[in-house]
Amino acid sequence: TEYALTAAVFSRSPGRIARVSAAIEAGHVYVNRTSTGARPGVEPFGGMRFSGTGPKAGGEDYLWAFLDRIDAPADEGDVTPEGSPPALDAARWDAALDGRIAIVERAAAALASTHAPAARALSEAARSAASEIGQPAPTVQVVGQETRMLYDTPRGLGIVRANGADAAWWLVAPLLAGNGVVVVDSSPLSPIVQALHAAGVPGDVLRVDEGGTARLVALAASAAVAFVACDGGPFRSFTAAMAPVADGQRGLKALLSPLDGPQPGKSGFLRRFAWPKVIATRTLRHGADLALSSTEPASRA
């Protein structure tokens, strides 16, 4: 759906609950309980696609929505798009997370002798993916409910432009999160792309467009694009191209850059490339309230 805020599942089958909860793409999946009433910290609030932009209210990433980094690069100036938005497509990387990590590690090994900094970045990102994407984020646990906040839903198709010292991070992070990627105007990434393809990243998941910055701005306006990830660039031009809702677009677009959020190598960087999803499962039997009564018997003299 275009709007993906909450969903509810009712079932007595643990297997069905697990399967359906994993398959539904919504910001909140409530199991055997009402599908409203999110509490900050317990079920951090926010949806996917047109129902949210990523960080959830009450979650550990929410503070970044109120901050501007003072170490961000300067804008490169306005760029006029090169033509109308072109047709664009790339598949999600549907391999299991362990498989994605293994392929990135193979690419890192192949780059170790010729591009050591990039190899280290790929290895570190692969290790981070196991905890940041493979494990639930901390939430406040309450009696009668199991709450998990997961980062295993890819955002979709992303455009990547990266030419700095951490360029490898900006490329591999969205891939590890399971997104499809089109690389534009990023010559330092060429050997890394080749190594990733040779290691097993499918060609329809990771593609290269030969255009320059003007071409990138045009691509950013495509209805198929979910995010633009860049380590610098004409930020104002990117946001101007991404802001209008195009025919067929299925969600709000995100600009993932050094302007905000955790940066390469820091905790939380990989999670920027995935949708957070809360699965809140009521664990009380028959709806019984397990809270203790506030009324105590009078004490004896």
Side-chain angles (χ1 to χ4, degrees), residues 1-196:
T1 63
E2 293 179 351
Y3 293 88
L5 183 57
T6 66
V9 178
F10 292 86
S11 175
R12 289 180 295 179
S13 165
R16 182 174 292 112
I17 288 171
R19 177 174 57 83
V20 176
S21 297
I24 290 176
E25 294 191 359
H28 299 260
V29 178
Y30 294 106
V31 180
N32 293 338
R33 52 152 289 184
T34 56
S35 59
T36 60
R39 294 160 287 183
V42 179
E43 306 100 358
F45 186 73
M48 300 180 186
R49 303 193 182 116
F50 282 117
S51 293
T53 55
K56 288 179 174 290
E60 61 180 16
D61 300 327
Y62 191 46
L63 184 60
W64 288 108
F66 301 93
L67 302 176
D68 291 323
R69 297 192 69 105
I70 61 173
D71 57 351
D75 195 283
E76 295 178 7
D78 294 339
V79 173
T80 302
E82 187 180 87
S84 58
L88 193 64
D89 193 19
R92 287 183 178 182
W93 195 2
D94 288 332
L97 177 60
D98 288 348
R100 300 198 298 267
I101 290 174
I103 288 174
V104 170
E105 288 176 337
R106 285 202 296 271
L111 291 166
S113 61
T114 55
H115 298 81
R120 286 194 296 272
L122 265 61
S123 295
E124 292 172 11
R127 288 194 296 271
S128 297
S131 57
E132 290 199 17
I133 299 173
Q135 300 295 326
T139 58
V140 176
Q141 298 297 316
V142 295
V143 173
Q145 178 173 289
E146 178 193 55
T147 307
R148 294 179 296 147
M149 187 158 76
L150 307 175
Y151 285 80
D152 57 1
T153 303
R155 285 181 173 269
L157 171 61
I159 308 297
V160 171
R161 178 193 190 246
N163 294 288
D166 292 320
W169 278 94
W170 289 99
L171 171 61
V172 76
L175 289 172
L176 283 166
N179 299 287
V181 169
V182 176
V183 177
V184 185
D185 192 30
S186 305
S187 56
L189 293 180
S190 295
I192 306 173
V193 170
Q194 294 173 10
L196 288 167

